[in-house]
Amino acid sequence: VPEPETPLAERPREDVERLLSVDDALARVLAMVAPLPVASLPLLDASGLVLAEDIVAPEDVPPFRNSAMDGFAVRAKDTAEARFDRPLTLRVHGTAAAGSTTRLAVAPGCAIRIMTGAPLPDGADAVVRFEETDEGRLNGPGVVGVLRSARPGDNVREAGEDIFRGTAVLPAGRALRAADLGQLAALGFTTAPVHRRPRVAILSTGDEVVEPGAPLPFGKIRDANATTLAALARGWGAETVALGIARDRLPELTERLTNAADADLIVTSGGVSLGDYDVVKDALRQSGEIAVWQVRMKPGKPLALGRVGGVPLLGLPGNPVAAAVSFVVFGRPAIRRLLGHADLQPRSVEATLIEPLDNRGMRRHYVRALLEPGADGGWTARPAGAQGAGVLSSLSRANALLVLPESIEQAEPGMTFRAILLDANA
Ligand code: AMP
Ligand code: MG
């Protein structure tokens, strides 16, 4: 058993007794972070990242007037007399293929065979689809029989009909989705100005914690948190840096934290409770600004906040569900702010409880829950299994965190609560 670095009697406890509401704790977390600097990233690397500037179209999309169908380019008024039972014949004066760079023209009484995406010949103002012609079958390939009159504009895509040059296409603050990136590509952009992706360094602590692939001697447990927390952070759009597992000793902890100098956020798990070997808080106290709080929530009461070498640090509890839930509640908004999102709220729905739940202690209780579609078009919620702070299997089973407010000691069937959706947030 390791000796704590500092004799127990000398270890300050006063700051770990500070009580904080979830909302106040979140405000303190958010005060530590700001949107990251802007970088010009290749479009595919910018996927999911937040645009830092308004984008104005530098050119028209499509760039030229073209055919929306395979058919014949015509002058609409030439086809006024065309009927299904009385085909109107036009002489075919060539073919316009997509990608062709020659400018063609349609003379009166003539048509040009045209493919989807080919430039519309000068003089033409409509395209008659193959299906509305005889495709040259009645009078030979040089003559087409038109079976229906065309109106100007039929099957024609105008230059700029999708995006006009000079219009605002994507606003700053927009999280770039696939179609946004495609639009930027269509406009000729190869990069996008976005807030760069946050680097989140993740450290596990505890003499009992070993790597998942290592032998498991008596008294040890495998590190679940590093994987859960990294997967969460990546799902929210961050890169992760693995700092490994630190023993419950100050020098090793501080040593590992020095590897986080270029991170945007350090996330630790364990070592922030009131136990004898909970040294994260001591380490942080040594390296400067740090506070340890007792947050009025369940699971996940202890929370450390501070900076190490200027990098913001979020110290989560060690129990796997407490760590994961605290990370959803505090880490996700912090990472979203670093990413440049304005909306930091989790996606949630209202759900009706169908089993009683007790909330003794009156903390904000994040209940691992199963949401199911209800009869009235809403959602029903019930616990997804045992709610112990270490029981990761019920978090794995849950599709939501049902939020019982601090003001409720006993929740009854029929009451409705907010439920944080885990598919989008965890
Ligand atoms: P602590 O907050 O360090 O006292 O840890 C609380 C509980 O969480 C203890 O039972 C630890 O063994 C457990 N724990 C801490 N870190 C991890 C981890 N990385 N993976 C799984 N369990 C952990
Ligand atoms: Mg520990």
Side-chain angles (χ1 to χ4, degrees), residues 204-205 208-209 221-226 269-273 278 317-320:
S204 301
T205 70
E208 76 282 30
V209 182
I221 59 158
R222 295 203 166 102
D223 182 359
N225 293 349
S269 67
V272 290
S273 315
D278 287 327
N319 274 306

Side-chain angles (χ1 to χ4, degrees), residues 93-367:
H93 266 192
T95 298
S100 156
T101 53
T102 36
R103 289 177 191 273
L104 300 173
V106 171
C110 296
I112 283 183
R113 210 176 144 82
I114 192 167
M115 305 304 135
T116 304
L120 204 74
D122 289 342
D125 58 2
V127 171
V128 182
R129 297 183 294 138
F130 281 150
E131 298 90 319
E132 293 173 339
T133 71
D134 66 359
E135 286 195 63
R137 273 190 294 264
L138 294 180
N139 300 293
V143 177
V144 63
V146 177
L147 306 177
R148 190 166 153 186
S149 65
R151 282 161 311 170
D154 278 1
N155 302 313
V156 172
R157 296 191 287 221
E158 298 297 339
E161 90 169 22
D162 182 355
I163 308 167
F164 271 121
R165 175 185 173 162
T167 53
V169 254
L170 297 166
R174 168 92 178 175
L176 292 172
R177 298 162 50 206
D180 302 336
L181 296 170
Q183 233 184 144
L184 291 172
L187 287 166
F189 293 98
T190 57
T191 61
V194 289
H195 295 282
R196 73 168 175 75
R197 201 177 285 284
R199 265 189 305 275
V200 176
I202 295 174
L203 177 71
S204 301
T205 70
D207 283 350
E208 76 282 30
V209 182
V210 299
E211 296 285 353
L216 193 66
F218 174 74
K220 307 285 180 183
I221 59 158
R222 295 203 166 102
D223 182 359
N225 293 349
T227 301
T228 311
L229 299 175
L232 285 169
R234 287 187 190 186
W236 299 328
E239 269 169 31
T240 57
V241 181
L243 297 181
I245 305 163
R247 310 284 113 214
D248 287 322
R249 251 153 289 184
L250 281 182
E252 186 172 340
L253 208 113
T254 9
E255 160 71 26
R256 283 188 185 263
L257 287 177
T258 59
N259 293 328
D262 68 345
D264 303 302
L265 178 67
I266 299 168
V267 177
T268 64
S269 67
V272 290
S273 315
L274 297 168
D276 291 347
Y277 302 102
D278 287 327
V279 293
V280 169
K281 56 183 187 289
D282 301 333
L284 297 173
R285 248 187 232 109
Q286 279 198 340
S287 33
E289 317 152 58
I290 185 68
V292 182
W293 305 91
Q294 299 291 351
V295 184
R296 248 185 110 181
M297 66 186 287
K298 181 168 123 183
K301 197 154 84 171
L303 185 75
L305 299 178
R307 281 176 195 279
V308 174
V311 182
L313 178 141
L314 190 58
L316 305 175
N319 274 306
V321 180
V325 169
S326 309
F327 201 38
V328 169
V329 173
F330 302 114
R332 182 177 181 274
I335 288 173
R336 282 181 70 81
R337 172 154 290 173
L338 289 168
L339 282 160
H341 289 282
D343 178 13
L344 309 179
Q345 297 298 318
R347 272 189 48 205
S348 62
V349 297
E350 288 289 311
T352 305
L353 194 59
I354 56 175
E355 284 177 27
L357 275 171
D358 94 71
N359 188 29
R360 257 168 300 167
M362 299 178 74
R363 292 190 268 157
R364 193 175 297 183
H365 190 173
Y366 295 87
V367 180

